Amino acid sequence: MAEHNEKKELSSNDASASGTKQQSTAGKSGTGAGEPQSKLKTLLAHLPLWVSSNLTKPRSLKTLLRCWLASWVGFIIILPDASLNVLGSAGFFAMLCSFFLPPNLPVQLFCFLMLTLVVGLCFSWGIGVAAMRAANAVRSTAHIQAVALQIQQSIKSNPAFQADPTLALTTAVYNGEFLETRASVIYGCFLGFFAFIYGLIRAYIPVLTFTSIFATIGLDIFCSFGPLLPTAQYTLLKTFLISVGCYTGIALVTTLFVFPETMSHSALRTVCEQLDRVEKFVMMQGEVLKAVDQESGPAGTGTSGNTLLTKLDGIKTLMVVIMRQLNATSGMISLEFSHGKWSSDDVKDLVNPLRGIVARSLGLESFSKLVRRSTEIMRENENLSKESSNNTAASPHTSNQTSASPKNLPDTYNDAHLLRQMATHTLQYENTHRLRILDILPLVESATFELRKAVVAAVAATRKSLDNVNRHRWTRHPDVDAELTRELDAAYESLTMALKEFTQDNQNAKRMHFIKPFLALLQKEDGTMLTKAEQEALPFRSLFIAFVLGTNLVSLSEAVIAMMNIVRSTIAKRQRNRLWAPKGLRKIGKLLKGAGGSGEEADAGQVFGEDAIPTKSEEEEDAETGNNHKRDPDSRPPTNILQKMMNKLHSLYQWCGTPEAKFAFKYAFISIATWIPAVVNNTANFYYEEKGLWALIMAQTTLNIYASDQVFNLVIRLVGTFVGAVLGLAAWYIGDGNGVGNPYGAAAVTAVFMLPLLFVRNFAPQRFLPGVLLGCATFALVIGYSWVDGHVPQSPSPGIGWSIAWKRFTLVIIGSTAAFIMMMLPPTSGRKAVRYRNASIITGLGNLYSFLMSTWMSDAPLSNKALQLEFDSSSKADADKGNRETIDDEKTEKLDTATTFSPHYSLYSVRWLDKFRVRLLSLSDELTSLKQLTTTATWEGSIRGKWPAEEYNALLDAEGEMLVGLALLGGALAHLNDESRMAFMHNTRVLNPNLIADVMTAFSLISQSLRTGEPLHQVLPQSLVGRLLYHHYNHHHLHEVSPNRAHGGDGLTVEMLSSLDYMFYATGIVAVFLVLKSVDDLQKITKRLCGEVPFEGFEKWRRQFESEHTTTQ
């Protein structure tokens, strides 16, 4: 009973420590408090997840309070006349900056982002000064004197100008009286060229997006107002920089004193949150393993099963996104001062082990999907058997033909061949011996319970210890530290013992609980062993699926133990809090070189381009080995100077056709087009009075490369502007009425309205960020401009309240429309980019598959013992390779910790595995970005016909399934020792050279079909699993092995099936079958998308040929 209660507690994924505390508190307060709490939970359940989760997180509320205080103070500073006179007409820019870059980041990272903003403005200030100097050099002195004479005459004839002579000069300036064509051309050249540069920065360096935007704004101001001025005024951006400086000071004060957080603290908190998700992910495996009655099926089928898979997928996606953000920002952890027991480097040392834990925990999802798929196949085959029986009873002469016809088989028919058996035979055997997946799941649940429980306890203990280190950076709690250390040690010992009991090579191992029912199948009734041929029909499918969970739990346990070793050793040597100084300032440049970005920009992935960006490891590997597989089919490499020059020009010409270059050219053109009215005499005054500069900025910032992105951004920007205008008007007229503004009312009302705006700004999903930013900017402009106009004399007056709001909304529409028109000349289809990117990802998946197959077939030693000697001999040679030195040091430390719990292999010492992980994570990131691009592509409309979005989503699902299979295969290879790997290499069918050739051919043809739009041919293999069976039965002599080879060629033995190596080998086989099934799915989807070339009579002849030429062993 106690064990049952423990299992029930472990399988419940809704319980948490905080939830338990809340329930106990509610219970103590009585039923009266429980009812409001239940209503609050009901309300939160109906809100979007990003709203409800952040409303209940103390950390999110603290961040919101800090951002709100900074924004509110940014508005307060313009209320006194003394400060407003210093800030000038652009005093509201401080509040505007608080919406663009709120202090929601650690000190170091916030300072870095603010620095990029200031650098952008200052750089454009310098460019503007250069443009003004060059333009004034070509101005006509005679023209200036003539206009000055006209101004003197207007003063004499106009009483208003006589009262204020400066008004005459101002009127003449903004009426365009001093405009000259030559000066305007100089400004236009500067604007067009540097707008092109800023467009390239947005395309190639997303981390500097805000730098590009604010640099563009500074350049727009200089080039819009500079041509109107007769003399040099180099301080046009002074008031903006003063406002930015004020906000920077406010933000730094709030960041340092209002719930301060260093990057080290933020990173360690993220690590704890990731571990909490891993804990939930493992606990949810209990739900997958729960067996119910046959009618409803196991968890994973039906409505509840879909909900469970949805939860697993949601946690998986969140872990991948958070891990990506942590990887992007971890490079700056060492660049700050921090206080606490752990240094920044200590925290950074946890990133790689955490990456391993997250990767291995995600592998658990493959087990739940295999269980669901296996159950679906079982039921479809049962239905097929019933139909065959009915057909047999009705017409005995046609029963064989009916059952053999491929048209009568379910779509998932090939999935049942996980043990390379025909589905019907497997089903019959499983039913006879009660070895269905429904029968095995209870055994798997009991066999893995102790290990799952130990993993959950170990992850929880590690999380608590790290959270304690992170929370008590200024205080000491020796009793708490000692208690958590004991808990961590106990959890470590428990996990080590549970792992040992599960992996030991004897009949007492826990995994034998679900292996023993299959051992009896290896022997005949007379006690003799089955021959290898007789073993072909054994129903090992359920066992192999169980092996998938077992291997994933073993891999996850080892990764958790590796991290616990680091945590325990660090806790032992860091006993007191102290101040840690920064180091590694050179890493700032490396962060800027990366195109991935950090923070919010990192979520967007690759924004531009139709092809996936090659991974850094692939580029470095090609550079080191000199392997450049792609060649120019139209010319050989240049051999002389002229050919090299022309080749460079050709490359430049080709680059001009890339999406990045097109975007930059459009960016420059739209800048010039919307700027020209500012330098035309007839429109200059209208452009200035109606704030045409806003339309220019909106056109630049709204421009996108794809039509789908343009339409989506147009909609959310207009919605955001409308909402911001409405909130701005409401806040202004509620707080200030019909006057020029009441400081107390304005401060109070603005404080209230800022809270929801900043909540949405901080926590809204990334794809809605452009609309959110525009809504916040509109709110700031309505409030800020209205206050400034009522207290600072301006000519002309921008107006108050409604006047500002309708101008802002109109100019947003004008700028967005201009950007939309530019996007249509010519339009770049996002749907085409989706197709191209899918083709590139499929090529990458094929390359990763070939990399793993090549690794499996490699003669080089891959085990820990062999690599230890290799590592020792090569560590000195690697020491002079910059970053490689640091990486090798980390590997050495991890190798030492890994060998304490792994007897014959290591998770971190295999160099090929490091390359594999980098390429795997890169493909995962590309898939995440492509999902967002696919979602956005639906906004292009259906002008030429409906876009098959469901097919492209199915394509992404198949690619994701393949990525899971490749991850499983890589993990299995990492655990096989060299002897077992080489022996199994000659006993498996998945390494058949002909099969590998078929698989690589399928990858290539599918990718080329998607890239070119050409249809696939009907005669291509419909099923790679069928090709595997064909190659085996017709070329089985290729798999014959010598009798003296390890693991033998006489088939499975009890010892072999019970060994740990065979469990990982079986997982690798399942992984390969997942890959084959995914390739089959990709081929079917591609045929539905691109078409299929028919071959008349081929299908009929193939069925006839296969029925008359049955292959036998």
Side-chain angles (χ1 to χ4, degrees):
M1 180 64 69
E3 182 179 352
H4 174 74
N5 293 335
E6 289 179 352
K7 293 181 180 181
K8 184 177 180 181
E9 180 182 357
L10 181 63
S11 62
S12 176
N13 62 330
D14 294 330
S16 62
S18 59
T20 304
K21 293 180 181 179
Q22 292 176 359
Q23 291 175 4
S24 61
T25 304
K28 293 179 181 179
S29 59
T31 57
E35 185 176 353
Q37 189 176 13
S38 62
K39 291 182 179 180
L40 178 61
K41 290 182 178 180
T42 303
L43 176 62
L44 292 175
H46 288 81
L47 295 175
L49 182 61
W50 64 270
V51 176
S52 58
S53 61
N54 288 291
L55 282 176
T56 55
K57 286 183 180 178
R59 185 71 248 177
S60 298
L61 297 179
K62 292 178 181 179
T63 302
L64 176 62
L65 177 61
R66 185 203 306 156
C67 296
W68 169 82
L69 183 61
S71 295
W72 189 55
V73 174
F75 174 71
I76 292 296
I77 60 175
I78 69 173
L79 297 181
D81 292 336
S83 60
L84 183 59
N85 292 332
V86 175
L87 294 172
S89 59
F92 63 88
F93 208 67
M95 180 173 57
L96 188 64
C97 287
S98 69
F99 287 117
F100 277 100
L101 284 178
N104 57 357
L105 299 171
V107 179
Q108 188 73 17
L109 188 56
F110 175 77
C111 291
F112 172 73
L113 292 179
M114 283 302 303
L115 180 63
T116 60
L117 186 152
V118 174
V119 167
L121 278 175
C122 291
F123 181 77
S124 287
W125 194 346
I127 299 301
V129 169
M132 184 172 288
R133 180 68 181 87
N136 289 339
V138 300
R139 285 186 181 274
S140 172
T141 306
H143 176 72
I144 295 176
Q145 291 176 352
V147 174
L149 182 60
Q150 295 177 3
I151 293 175
Q152 293 295 332
Q153 294 175 355
S154 64
I155 292 176
K156 294 178 181 180
S157 60
N158 192 330
F161 291 161
Q162 292 175 4
D164 187 5
T166 58
L167 182 60
L169 177 61
T170 302
T171 302
V173 167
Y174 294 110
N175 282 334
E177 300 293 340
F178 290 100
L179 285 173
E180 293 187 43
T181 303
R182 290 179 297 179
S184 299
V185 169
I186 295 295
Y187 279 106
C189 291
F190 272 85
L191 176 63
F193 177 78
F194 285 98
F196 179 79
I197 298 299
Y198 295 150
L200 291 180
I201 291 176
R202 282 184 58 183
Y204 285 104
I205 315 178
V207 70
L208 298 180
T209 298
F210 280 120
T211 304
S212 173
I213 291 176
F214 279 89
T216 302
I217 292 175
L219 184 64
D220 292 341
I221 293 173
F222 255 103
C223 294
S224 296
F225 296 107
L228 303 175
L229 304 174
T231 58
Q233 294 187 19
Y234 299 130
T235 59
L236 285 179
L237 293 183
K238 178 181 177 181
T239 179
F240 291 94
L241 266 298
I242 292 176
S243 298
V244 171
C246 291
Y247 169 67
T248 303
I250 294 169
L252 286 178
V253 171
T254 54
T255 303
L256 291 172
F257 296 101
V258 181
F259 306 115
E261 185 177 38
T262 61
M263 289 197 65
S264 174
H265 184 277
S266 176
L268 198 54
R269 174 172 53 84
T270 303
V271 171
C272 294
E273 292 174 351
Q274 286 287 76
L275 290 177
D276 182 64
R277 297 184 186 101
V278 171
E279 183 181 349
K280 292 180 180 179
F281 209 79
V282 177
M283 291 171 63
M284 292 178 69
Q285 299 308 308
E287 298 292 331
V288 178
L289 289 167
K290 285 193 303 184
V292 294
D293 57 279
Q294 184 176 355
E295 286 74 19
S296 59
T301 61
T303 305
S304 60
N306 291 332
T307 303
L308 178 61
L309 289 178
T310 302
K311 290 181 180 179
L312 288 171
D313 188 66
I315 297 176
K316 179 197 73 172
T317 303
L318 185 59
M319 284 197 291
V320 171
V321 171
I322 297 300
M323 200 68 236
R324 182 181 181 184
Q325 294 177 350
L326 183 61
N327 291 333
T329 58
S330 61
M332 297 185 65
I333 294 179
S334 301
L335 307 180
E336 64 179 358
F337 285 95
S338 63
H339 190 275
K341 292 181 179 179
W342 286 31
S343 67
S344 298
D345 287 336
D346 294 333
V347 177
K348 192 175 180 181
D349 288 340
L350 297 176
V351 176
N352 282 335
L354 179 65
R355 188 186 297 119
I357 291 177
V358 170
R360 283 156 184 79
S361 62
L362 296 182
L364 295 173
E365 187 186 21
S366 61
F367 171 75
S368 60
K369 291 183 177 180
L370 281 172
V371 169
R372 180 179 183 181
R373 177 173 294 176
S374 179
T375 307
E376 291 175 351
I377 294 171
M378 179 187 67
R379 293 181 177 177
E380 289 176 355
N381 286 323
E382 287 177 349
N383 295 333
L384 184 64
S385 299
K386 293 178 181 179
E387 292 178 2
S388 298
S389 301
N390 295 334
N391 292 334
T392 302
S395 179
H397 300 286
T398 60
S399 60
N400 292 333
Q401 183 178 358
T402 303
S403 61
S405 176
K407 293 183 178 181
N408 295 326
L409 296 179
D411 293 336
T412 57
Y413 176 72
N414 293 318
D415 288 345
H417 292 150
L418 292 176
L419 290 178
R420 306 177 297 276
Q421 302 298 322
M422 300 302 293
T424 54
H425 295 165
T426 302
L427 181 61
Q428 293 174 0
Y429 228 127
E430 287 178 346
N431 289 331
T432 302
H433 296 275
R434 299 189 60 82
L435 294 176
R436 300 171 304 166
I437 189 65
L438 296 177
D439 303 319
I440 298 302
L441 281 180
L443 301 178
V444 177
E445 198 274 339
S446 61
T448 61
F449 173 74
E450 293 296 335
L451 185 57
R452 288 184 289 114
K453 178 182 176 183
V455 170
V456 170
V459 172
T462 305
R463 174 179 53 81
K464 291 178 183 178
S465 297
L466 293 177
D467 186 65
N468 178 66
V469 171
N470 207 30
R471 288 178 180 272
H472 302 146
R473 289 178 171 265
W474 296 91
T475 58
R476 296 187 61 186
H477 299 274
D479 51 343
V480 177
D481 296 344
E483 178 63 26
L484 290 176
T485 301
R486 287 192 296 269
E487 182 179 350
L488 183 64
D489 293 338
Y492 178 85
E493 296 297 333
S494 177
L495 179 57
T496 304
M497 181 60 64
L499 180 61
K500 182 178 179 180
E501 292 177 352
F502 190 83
T503 59
Q504 59 185 340
D505 283 327
N506 55 53
Q507 296 299 313
N508 296 324
K510 291 288 186 180
R511 68 179 186 280
M512 297 302 298
H513 289 182
F514 58 82
I515 296 178
K516 286 180 179 179
F518 296 88
L519 295 180
L521 301 180
L522 297 177
Q523 296 180 348
K524 300 180 181 179
E525 295 181 358
D526 57 1
T528 60
M529 298 295 296
L530 295 177
T531 64
K532 186 175 181 179
E534 292 172 332
Q535 291 178 1
E536 294 291 337
L538 294 181
F540 284 168
R541 177 181 59 183
S542 301
L543 178 62
F544 274 35
I545 294 176
F547 278 159
V548 171
L549 179 62
T551 53
N552 278 312
L553 286 176
V554 170
S555 300
L556 177 60
S557 300
E558 292 171 346
V560 172
I561 290 176
M563 186 173 189
M564 294 180 75
N565 281 327
I566 297 176
V567 173
R568 294 173 69 207
S569 61
T570 307
I571 289 178
K573 66 182 179 180
R574 307 295 191 202
Q575 295 292 330
R576 62 185 183 87
N577 295 322
R578 52 162 290 190
L579 181 66
W580 300 93
K583 63 179 181 178
L585 297 177
R586 63 182 180 178
K587 296 179 181 178
I588 294 181
K590 297 175 184 176
L591 292 174
L592 294 180
K593 291 179 182 178
S598 62
E600 293 169 342
E601 290 78 18
D603 295 338
Q606 181 189 344
V607 181
F608 300 93
E610 295 171 341
D611 292 332
I613 297 176
T615 63
K616 188 175 180 181
S617 63
E618 292 175 344
E619 294 176 347
E620 291 178 350
E621 184 177 355
D622 291 341
E624 292 177 0
T625 60
N627 294 331
N628 188 6
H629 307 291
K630 188 176 182 180
R631 294 183 179 182
D632 188 349
D634 301 322
S635 63
R636 294 305 181 191
T639 57
N640 53 53
I641 296 178
L642 179 61
Q643 289 179 351
K644 291 180 180 179
M645 291 178 59
M646 297 306 297
N647 188 54
K648 293 294 184 182
L649 290 176
H650 178 70
S651 300
L652 179 62
Y653 174 78
Q654 287 184 321
W655 174 81
C656 290
T658 60
E660 293 86 353
K662 289 181 180 179
F663 172 78
F665 282 122
K666 290 181 179 180
Y667 196 84
F669 186 86
I670 195 68
S671 300
I672 296 296
T674 51
W675 165 81
I676 287 177
V679 293
V680 177
N681 296 81
N682 296 332
T683 58
N685 184 61
F686 177 81
Y687 191 91
Y688 176 73
E689 288 185 354
E690 304 302 329
K691 305 301 178 184
L693 179 64
W694 293 355
L696 170 59
I697 296 173
M698 279 305 306
Q700 293 168 329
T701 55
T702 307
L703 187 65
N704 284 273
I705 189 169
Y706 299 127
S708 54
D709 289 333
Q710 192 71 45
V711 174
F712 176 72
N713 277 276
L714 177 64
V715 173
I716 63 173
R717 285 172 184 268
L718 292 180
V719 172
T721 302
F722 178 78
V723 174
V726 171
L727 293 179
L729 287 173
W732 174 257
Y733 288 111
I734 290 175
D736 302 280
N738 295 323
V740 296
N742 182 297
Y744 302 103
V749 174
T750 304
V752 174
F753 277 81
M754 277 183 173
L755 270 176
L757 285 173
L758 285 168
F759 182 89
V760 176
R761 166 62 186 90
N762 281 288
F763 308 119
Q766 176 69 24
R767 61 195 186 101
F768 299 125
L769 185 59
V772 172
L773 286 176
L774 214 58
C776 294
T778 302
F779 175 83
L781 288 173
V782 171
I783 296 294
Y785 255 123
S786 298
W787 183 268
V788 171
D789 183 69
H791 296 81
V792 175
Q794 298 184 70
S795 178
S797 173
I800 293 177
W802 170 253
S803 177
I804 296 292
W806 81 262
K807 286 182 181 179
R808 170 66 179 175
F809 187 74
T810 303
L811 290 169
V812 168
I813 294 177
I814 293 173
S816 300
T817 303
F820 183 82
I821 294 173
M822 178 55 57
M823 179 272 301
M824 296 297 295
L825 301 174
T828 303
S829 174
R831 298 173 176 180
K832 181 180 177 182
V834 169
R835 180 165 54 86
Y836 279 12
R837 292 281 293 278
N838 272 292
S840 297
I841 289 177
I842 290 173
T843 300
L845 291 169
N847 294 335
L848 192 57
Y849 167 80
S850 65
F851 174 78
L852 289 176
M853 292 295 101
S854 176
T855 302
W856 195 340
M857 296 182 293
S858 174
D859 295 331
L862 302 178
S863 65
N864 179 44
K865 295 180 180 179
L867 278 181
Q868 179 65 52
L869 298 176
E870 177 190 352
F871 180 83
D872 292 339
S873 62
S874 62
S875 58
K876 293 183 180 179
D878 292 338
D880 59 345
K881 293 186 179 180
N883 272 350
R884 291 288 298 275
E885 181 178 6
T886 303
I887 296 174
D888 289 344
D889 291 340
E890 292 176 355
K891 288 182 182 178
T892 305
E893 181 180 354
K894 291 169 185 173
L895 180 64
D896 295 337
T897 58
T899 54
T900 61
F901 66 90
S902 180
H904 61 284
Y905 47 77
S906 170
L907 293 177
Y908 297 102
S909 63
V910 184
R911 291 183 176 178
W912 72 265
L913 190 56
D914 293 333
K915 295 179 181 179
F916 168 71
R917 285 172 185 160
V918 172
R919 297 170 70 170
L920 188 72
L921 290 175
S922 176
L923 286 171
S924 178
D925 290 343
E926 291 169 13
L927 271 177
T928 303
S929 301
L930 185 55
K931 287 180 180 179
Q932 180 179 350
L933 184 61
T934 304
T935 302
T936 309
T938 57
W939 285 81
E940 285 190 15
S942 303
I943 299 177
R944 295 192 299 120
K946 181 182 178 182
W947 185 59
E950 64 282 355
E951 299 290 355
Y952 284 100
N953 287 324
L955 207 63
L956 290 173
D957 292 338
E959 291 164 0
E961 291 287 339
M962 187 181 300
L963 205 61
V964 171
L966 292 173
L968 285 175
L969 180 58
L973 289 179
H975 285 78
L976 285 175
N977 59 39
D978 292 328
E979 181 183 0
S980 300
R981 177 175 60 85
M982 299 299 292
F984 288 137
M985 184 174 69
H986 292 273
N987 284 276
T988 181
R989 306 171 185 177
V990 298
L991 287 180
N992 188 306
N994 299 295
L995 174 66
I996 295 176
D998 287 342
V999 175
M1000 294 306 300
T1001 301
F1003 272 117
S1004 179
L1005 291 176
I1006 293 170
S1007 177
Q1008 290 300 322
S1009 178
L1010 287 173
R1011 185 174 296 278
T1012 61
E1014 293 292 329
L1016 292 172
H1017 210 286
Q1018 181 184 359
V1019 300
L1020 295 177
Q1022 302 295 317
S1023 169
L1024 289 176
V1025 177
R1027 296 295 294 173
L1028 182 147
L1029 296 172
Y1030 170 82
H1031 290 310
H1032 172 71
Y1033 290 119
N1034 288 276
H1035 306 281
H1036 60 88
H1037 62 277
L1038 295 177
H1039 298 275
E1040 293 294 339
V1041 295
S1042 58
N1044 57 352
R1045 181 176 296 274
H1047 297 287
D1050 297 330
L1052 278 174
T1053 63
V1054 173
E1055 293 76 13
M1056 186 190 304
L1057 188 60
S1058 303
S1059 66
L1060 185 63
D1061 279 334
Y1062 191 83
M1063 184 172 71
F1064 284 101
Y1065 162 75
T1067 300
I1069 298 301
V1070 174
V1072 173
F1073 273 83
L1074 282 176
V1075 173
L1076 298 183
K1077 177 60 172 62
S1078 298
V1079 176
D1080 291 341
D1081 292 340
L1082 290 177
Q1083 184 177 165
K1084 294 176 184 177
I1085 299 170
T1086 304
K1087 286 183 178 180
R1088 294 197 296 266
L1089 287 171
C1090 301
E1092 184 179 25
V1093 179
F1095 193 133
E1096 295 296 335
F1098 175 78
E1099 195 66 30
K1100 178 180 178 181
W1101 166 244
R1102 182 171 63 177
R1103 291 197 299 269
Q1104 181 181 353
F1105 181 86
E1106 291 177 352
S1107 62
E1108 296 180 0
H1109 300 272
T1110 304
T1111 304
T1112 59
Q1113 284 198 27

